[in-house]
Amino acid sequence: MGTAVQRRVTGLTAAVAVLGIAGTLAGCGGPGDSGDVTLKLVAADYGDSAANSSQKYWDKVVKGFEAENPGIKVDVTVSSWNDVDREVKEMVKKGEAPDLAQIGAYADYAAQGKLYEADELLSIATQADFLAPLAQAGEVKRIQYGMPFAASTRLLFYNTKLFKDANLTPPQSWSELQADAKALKARGVKIPYALPLGSEEAPAETLMWMLSGGGGYTDNVGSYAIDSKQNAKTFAWLRDELVGKGLTGPTAPGEMNRADAFAAFARGDVGMLNGHPTLMKMAAKKGVKFGMVPAPGVNGKAQATMGVADWMMAFKQNGHRKETGKFLDYVYSKKNVLEFSNEYDILPVTNSASDAMAEDRGDTELGKFLKELPTSQLYPVGKTSWAQVSADVKKDIGKSVEPNGNPQSVLTRIQNRAASKENAE
């Protein structure tokens, strides 16, 4: 699933994606010296109705855990993705932090010294089971605080009927993508390629194109490289070869949100766009046939695709380190991770569950996303400056592909603000 897992898989879009709260200050569950502890967990809802609410998943997990661990109770509050990050923030501000929060971002809490380190909580086996790109994205200054909970990658979706009618094959390079888009436009397709650089999720589309051009938000040592030559060339190409040639539809990319692009694809109005697993359900529900391929790169398949994760974190305030760690080891068992992933059509965050899903569903549509996860690159969510950078990208990146846009200037402006924010911390 900021923008996280699929914003998130229906309730996940919402991102997976991929957490109203009645949480209260965690404390001892029993009176006197019984030693009983009640852990408070606030979690995001990945369902899209009461029938498949995440509350049902957590109730089952808690029931199994409490049966094996007398003396430890777990109280779970599940909230909408629209509310959960804000509500956890308010709880922490009031001095009423939950023991655990499964939400969209962890870096600010880590920077404030409010979180346990992962290795203070988890068994060695559990911590080692996280997929490497996800574990690394959970680090602040090389120490892991964020534990990945749900993951997603992106693929290029294409409308198979439109492609068949135009006698096209899915693109593997930018030039092929442009050629396909031109052919679709010639046949009257409303939006040959949807390029959502609007405020909803511009950072995602931006990163996908940066990666396909050999760049990214950061360099190999984790420093911001937003205004790199590769990134400037990528957005110049988008401006001149896609937007400038009228291949992205009547709405300016800077005014198109991802939700609108997905809805247009589900209506059959879009030839191609970058998407996550939520779009599979949306399109299928509307009867739109689609195919999916890895993102095209400059001269062939992109070296990496974008990955997104939602996070679990443990607050130190209530001092329940041992009990919290025991619960997390249970949560991250192969059985539980796999059950959650299968229920919501999202990707497992552990090697053991990923291997099991690949064996069971590797040939399915979801398996195509799973295949991209081990080499995916995530937002630099370990930087507390990322929230500001993300906001700047949402505000400005669309300007880089306008008719008279200057990609280098736009990217440099975002880079300078990012560097200033980093230096101020």
Side-chain angles (χ1 to χ4, degrees):
M1 326 263 209
T3 303
V5 177
Q6 312 178 328
R7 278 279 185 254
R8 245 114 160 158
V9 178
T10 329
L12 233 177
T13 284
V16 184
V18 306
L19 333 176
I21 287 186
T24 55
L25 177 61
C28 290
D33 59 357
S34 67
D36 283 2
V37 165
T38 297
L39 301 177
K40 300 291 186 179
L41 164 63
V42 177
D45 193 351
Y46 289 81
D48 57 4
S49 68
N52 69 345
S53 167
S54 294
Q55 188 72 54
K56 291 189 174 182
Y57 168 79
W58 283 113
D59 287 348
K60 184 176 180 181
V61 170
V62 168
K63 183 178 180 181
F65 174 77
E66 290 180 349
E68 293 183 15
N69 296 273
I72 306 176
K73 303 295 183 184
V74 185
D75 179 11
V76 182
T77 301
V78 170
S79 290
S80 160
W81 271 115
N82 295 328
D83 304 317
V84 73
D85 287 277
R86 171 181 54 80
E87 289 176 338
V88 169
K89 184 176 182 179
E90 290 173 356
M91 293 170 71
V92 173
K93 188 175 181 180
K94 289 190 295 184
E96 299 176 355
D99 295 282
L100 289 157
Q102 188 269 297
I103 52 177
Y106 67 86
D108 282 347
Y109 300 126
Q112 295 164 19
K114 295 183 181 296
L115 302 181
Y116 285 115
E117 298 174 15
D119 62 7
E120 292 179 295
L121 299 161
L122 304 174
S123 69
I124 293 173
T126 298
Q127 193 171 3
D129 199 24
F130 289 130
L131 287 161
L134 305 181
Q136 290 166 7
E139 295 177 354
V140 174
K141 296 180 179 177
R142 300 187 181 279
I143 296 174
Q144 185 180 0
Y145 296 93
M147 292 160 280
F149 184 75
S152 175
T153 55
R154 306 298 166 96
L155 293 171
L156 181 76
F157 282 66
Y158 63 96
N159 183 309
T160 51
K161 183 181 185 303
L162 295 179
F163 267 61
K164 184 177 180 181
D165 291 347
N167 197 29
L168 300 175
T169 56
Q172 297 181 2
S173 66
W174 287 2
S175 59
E176 290 178 9
L177 185 147
Q178 185 202 49
D180 286 349
K182 285 181 176 178
L184 293 169
K185 182 183 179 183
R187 295 181 63 85
V189 174
K190 191 173 181 180
I191 307 173
Y193 179 85
L195 184 66
L197 295 176
S199 60
E200 181 190 359
E201 207 183 20
E205 188 74 12
T206 296
L207 180 54
M208 284 182 274
W209 277 99
M210 284 177 168
L211 292 171
S212 72
Y217 284 120
T218 57
D219 57 23
N220 292 334
V221 295
S223 299
Y224 281 119
I226 298 165
D227 61 348
S228 68
K229 289 182 180 179
Q230 296 100 313
N231 291 340
K233 285 181 179 179
T234 293
F235 282 89
W237 186 88
L238 287 171
R239 178 196 62 195
D240 299 337
E241 305 300 331
L242 279 190
V243 182
K245 289 185 164 48
L247 302 177
T248 55
T251 303
E255 298 173 8
M256 177 179 280
N257 283 328
R258 197 229 24 224
D260 298 328
F262 277 21
F265 186 83
R267 290 194 302 268
D269 291 339
V270 174
M272 298 172 281
L273 82 171
N274 288 318
H276 55 58
T278 299
L279 186 55
M280 295 192 298
K281 291 184 177 180
M282 290 180 63
K285 191 174 181 180
K286 296 287 188 178
V288 171
K289 302 295 184 183
F290 59 89
M292 303 180 301
V293 292
V298 181
N299 299 310
K301 178 183 179 294
Q303 293 183 350
T305 190
M306 186 188 79
V308 180
D310 297 325
W311 302 97
M312 179 74 78
M313 62 216 68
F315 289 90
K316 295 192 290 188
Q317 178 180 319
N318 303 311
H320 297 147
R321 181 185 65 80
K322 182 179 177 182
E323 296 85 357
T324 298
K326 192 171 286 191
F327 179 62
L328 288 172
D329 279 336
Y330 187 84
V331 167
Y332 283 106
S333 68
K334 181 173 74 171
K335 174 182 176 292
N336 286 326
V337 172
L338 200 56
E339 187 170 321
F340 184 86
S341 301
N342 283 325
E343 174 67 28
Y344 298 105
D345 271 347
I346 54 179
L347 304 182
V349 297
T350 60
N351 288 291
S352 58
S354 293
D355 290 345
M357 179 180 277
E359 192 172 319
D360 184 46
R361 304 179 68 178
D363 294 330
T364 67
E365 299 293 2
L366 190 65
K368 295 179 181 179
F369 290 92
L370 185 63
K371 188 176 180 181
E372 299 298 309
L373 189 57
T375 57
S376 64
Q377 291 191 24
L378 284 74
Y379 297 136
V381 290
K383 295 178 178 289
T384 55
S385 57
W386 169 243
Q388 177 65 57
V389 173
S390 178
D392 288 343
V393 170
K394 291 177 181 180
K395 177 173 174 284
D396 288 339
I397 199 65
K399 299 171 186 176
S400 70
V401 298
E402 291 175 352
N404 297 313
N406 185 326
Q408 187 68 68
S409 175
V410 171
L411 293 169
T412 297
R413 185 162 64 248
I414 297 172
Q415 169 74 23
N416 288 342
R417 289 199 68 186
S420 176
K421 180 77 172 174
E422 281 282 278
N423 294 334
E425 293 172 355

